[in-house]
């Protein structure tokens, strides 16, 4: 997914067919007033607001199907907004991810967390954190404690999105905290 703010106060978002499918969208079945389309567009708008930091208000969405994807145009926002550079971190193991989740859960219980996406690669995980709001400095500090800073910017994030498998898009930090909170299944011990 690529987002581009325009000088007019509008926002363009390009999504590939695969990205649309992950969001529960399909250019052949998107309809105005369709509950699944409305839910997906509201979620997309929430992610866009976090990534681009533009204010609340009435927004009009136009969807233009293109070969291999779709272009969305969000308009109606009178104030300018600014882009927030995503930061990418590598966590080598599932244990690192669990320890990161434990620390995050303990430090930010019931706090609003920044938008983030988690991707799986052959060796480990990549976490993209968008600094739109929330306790970003502490989140990034924890990510660096349990992982490695890879890079910053839309180009780095786009490479991750295109060349790795998505685990969760947009709400990775909340999902990690939920995974840490959920009770672990009891282990079975062999009878002797």
């Amino acid at each position: 997914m690529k987002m581009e703010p325009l000088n007019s106060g509008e926002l363009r978002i390009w999504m590939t067919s695969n990205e649309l499918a992950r969001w529960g969208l399909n250019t052949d079945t998107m309809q105005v007033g369709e509950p699944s389309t409305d839910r997906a567009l509201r979620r997309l708008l929430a992610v866009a607001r976090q990534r681009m930091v533009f204010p609340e208000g009435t927004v009009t969405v136009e969807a233009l199907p293109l070969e291999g994807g779709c272009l969305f145009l969000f308009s109606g926002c009178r104030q300018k907004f600014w882009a927030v550079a995503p930061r990418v971190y590598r966590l080598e193991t599932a244990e690192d991810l669990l320890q990161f989740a434990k620390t995050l859960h303990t430090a930010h219980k019931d706090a609003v967390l920044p938008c983030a996406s988690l991707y799986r690669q052959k060796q480990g995980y990549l976490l993209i954190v968008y600094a739109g709001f929330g306790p970003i400095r502490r989140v990034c500090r924890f990510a660096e404690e349990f992982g490695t800073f890879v890079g910053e910017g839309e180009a780095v994030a786009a490479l991750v999105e295109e060349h790795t498998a998505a685990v969760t898009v947009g709400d990775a930090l909340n999902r990690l905290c939920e995974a840490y909170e959920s009770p672990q299944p009891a282990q079975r011990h062999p009878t002797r």
Side-chain angles (χ1 to χ4, degrees):
M1 174 174 21
K2 181 180 177 189
M3 296 187 179
E4 180 187 17
L6 304 176
N7 290 335
S8 60
E10 297 173 317
L11 174 67
R12 282 194 293 209
I13 301 177
W14 286 275
M15 294 179 77
T16 66
S17 297
N18 290 339
E19 290 168 335
L20 288 169
R22 276 186 260 158
W23 285 72
L25 294 171
N26 179 320
T27 55
D28 296 332
T29 60
M30 275 193 292
Q31 297 292 326
V32 173
E34 177 71 31
S36 61
T37 301
D38 289 347
R39 270 192 311 274
L41 289 176
R42 270 193 233 100
R43 187 172 155 224
L44 182 60
L45 181 58
V47 169
R49 281 196 165 115
Q50 290 172 346
R51 286 190 186 188
M52 308 306 287
V53 193
F54 63 92
E56 298 289 330
T58 303
V59 175
T60 302
V61 181
E62 294 179 63
L64 306 166
L66 302 171
E67 185 176 330
C70 190
L71 171 68
F72 295 95
L73 182 63
F74 289 80
S75 58
C77 186
R78 300 207 181 268
Q79 298 178 15
K80 301 282 180 170
F81 46 88
W82 63 93
V84 178
R87 296 178 60 89
V88 180
Y89 299 91
R90 176 180 290 114
L91 293 109
E92 297 295 331
T93 66
E95 182 62 29
D96 292 338
L97 204 55
L98 184 60
Q99 289 303 316
F100 171 69
K102 176 182 177 183
T103 304
L104 192 63
H105 171 72
T106 303
H108 296 292
K109 194 168 189 172
D110 301 323
V112 176
L113 293 170
C115 177
S117 298
L118 182 66
Y119 294 83
R120 176 93 170 107
Q121 59 179 14
K122 288 181 183 178
Q123 296 177 346
Y125 300 88
L126 291 170
L127 179 70
I128 303 174
V129 180
Y130 295 91
F133 69 89
I136 185 64
R137 286 191 180 126
R138 291 182 79 188
V139 169
C140 291
R141 192 175 74 235
F142 296 150
E144 288 176 6
E145 181 179 338
F146 296 101
T148 307
F149 176 70
V150 174
E152 183 175 36
E154 287 293 333
V156 177
L159 280 172
V160 171
E161 291 170 350
E162 290 176 25
H163 298 290
T164 58
V167 175
T168 182
V169 177
D171 61 349
L173 299 178
N174 291 319
R175 292 277 180 105
L176 286 169
C177 286
E178 288 169 11
Y180 176 74
E181 284 178 351
S182 63
Q184 301 298 319
Q187 293 186 353
R188 293 185 180 178
H189 297 287
T191 55
R192 295 182 186 182

